[in-house]
Amino acid sequence: LVCCLPFILIAGDLKSALVKGRSTNKPVMVVVKSEACAYCDKMKIETLNTQLVRNNTQEFIKVTVDKGSPDADRYLPDTRYTPTVYFISPKLKIVNTVSGYLGRDDFNLWVDDTKRKLGLKSSKKVYKEVAKTQSKHWMYDIASAMDYASQTGKQLMIYVDADGSKWTTKMKQTTFANAQVQKALKNFVWVRIKKGDAQARSFGLQPKYAPTVYFMRANMKQLAKAEGYFEPSDFILWINHAKSKI
């Protein structure tokens, strides 16, 4: 009965949830929200409270916490965006982190990927890209990234990649992992999307090549567009060029 209740009704104390997960050998799903976050409410209604997601997360102990609360500060990594969902193993290891709003089907892919990593039965096909999108920097939904950027006075850096491309893989592993690049992008919200997907098309982002990086204002007005692979030093020149347009 409990697993069928709306998500908000089974939220509780984070410490208690983690202790219970460890003692009962169950994973924990933690949703971090904030008071003025419109996409937190949207994700609760359109994603977390749907029957498919509730059915797919029956094995998880579920809890919600406020960003910046004592529990969140003590037991979770520093959370940049809301909503953020942490999937935590019974051994208290973070298995997956999802930043930003995701719809029902996309979120269920993350649930399935987490269950696969935990050795639990997965209800759906797990796509390879889900396992490769873990990063404290990235968001995966443009609309929620726009919302966050407008609230914080930041700009957007939208990275378009493609499956099977050695250059998109190299750029993620070298350029975006570079400390100087990360420092230069401090005032940008990072967004990662797939070339040709529905989200990219809906915002008119249809580059000829991948990787392509769009530097945008929070209202999606373009500052600069960098097509192709760039070494860290060259990419920093593009970042500085975009900053000069702000």
Side-chain angles (χ1 to χ4, degrees):
L1 176 62
V2 173
C3 67
C4 296
L5 293 175
F7 186 89
I8 192 65
L9 295 182
I10 54 177
D13 177 69
L14 176 58
K15 179 181 177 181
S16 298
L18 294 172
V19 170
K20 183 178 179 181
R22 190 174 180 88
S23 64
T24 60
N25 199 38
K26 287 188 175 183
V28 179
M29 187 174 86
V30 183
V31 178
V32 184
K33 64 181 182 66
S34 59
E35 185 92 16
C37 171
Y39 282 90
C40 295
D41 294 334
K42 179 180 172 71
M43 189 162 173
K44 183 181 74 175
I45 295 168
E46 298 183 2
T47 302
L48 300 176
N49 278 351
T50 62
Q51 192 65 51
L52 284 175
V53 170
R54 280 155 43 189
N55 289 346
N56 204 22
T57 55
Q58 289 185 30
E59 298 96 332
F60 293 81
I61 296 170
K62 307 179 188 78
V63 62
T64 57
V65 295
D66 288 312
K67 179 183 176 183
S69 66
D71 263 7
D73 289 344
R74 183 171 183 181
Y75 299 111
L76 298 174
D78 181 41
T79 303
R80 299 179 69 194
Y81 313 118
T82 56
T84 288
V85 180
Y86 294 101
F87 294 97
I88 303 175
S89 76
K91 295 182 179 180
L92 305 184
K93 301 281 188 181
I94 293 177
V95 178
N96 272 331
T97 302
V98 181
S99 298
Y101 169 84
L102 284 180
R104 180 196 66 188
D105 293 338
D106 288 333
F107 186 75
N108 260 339
L109 290 176
W110 281 90
V111 175
D112 289 329
D113 183 70
T114 301
K115 290 164 77 171
R116 178 185 62 82
K117 291 176 179 177
L118 291 169
L120 302 173
K121 184 178 179 181
S122 178
S123 63
K124 289 177 157 187
K125 178 180 177 181
V126 179
Y127 294 97
K128 292 180 180 178
E129 61 264 26
V130 173
K132 297 185 292 185
T133 53
Q134 296 179 70
S135 171
K136 65 181 180 180
H137 295 291
W138 296 106
M139 296 184 76
Y140 310 100
D141 176 73
I142 294 175
S144 53
M146 291 171 62
D147 187 51
Y148 180 79
S150 65
Q151 291 181 37
T152 58
K154 295 186 177 185
Q155 317 305 318
L156 299 170
M157 188 276 295
I158 302 176
Y159 173 64
V160 183
D161 74 358
D163 292 332
S165 166
K166 69 176 183 179
W167 296 112
T168 58
T169 299
K170 185 175 181 180
M171 193 155 178
K172 289 194 294 286
Q173 293 177 346
T174 59
T175 305
F176 289 119
N178 180 272
Q180 294 303 312
V181 168
Q182 292 182 7
K183 182 178 179 181
L185 287 170
K186 182 180 179 181
N187 290 318
F188 286 83
V189 178
W190 300 26
V191 189
R192 181 184 170 195
I193 61 174
K194 293 290 182 183
K195 182 177 183 292
D197 72 7
Q199 180 179 200
R201 293 195 304 271
S202 69
F203 283 93
L205 304 179
Q206 301 186 63
K208 185 176 181 180
Y209 307 104
T212 289
V213 177
Y214 293 89
F215 297 94
M216 317 285 274
R217 295 184 184 274
N219 62 3
M220 291 295 285
K221 181 179 179 181
Q222 185 171 303
L223 299 169
K225 177 183 176 183
E227 296 182 290
Y229 168 80
F230 294 93
E231 293 285 346
S233 58
D234 293 325
F235 191 61
I236 287 173
L237 295 177
W238 273 103
I239 297 170
N240 290 336
H241 173 64
K243 287 179 177 178
S244 73
K245 302 289 186 178
I246 299 173

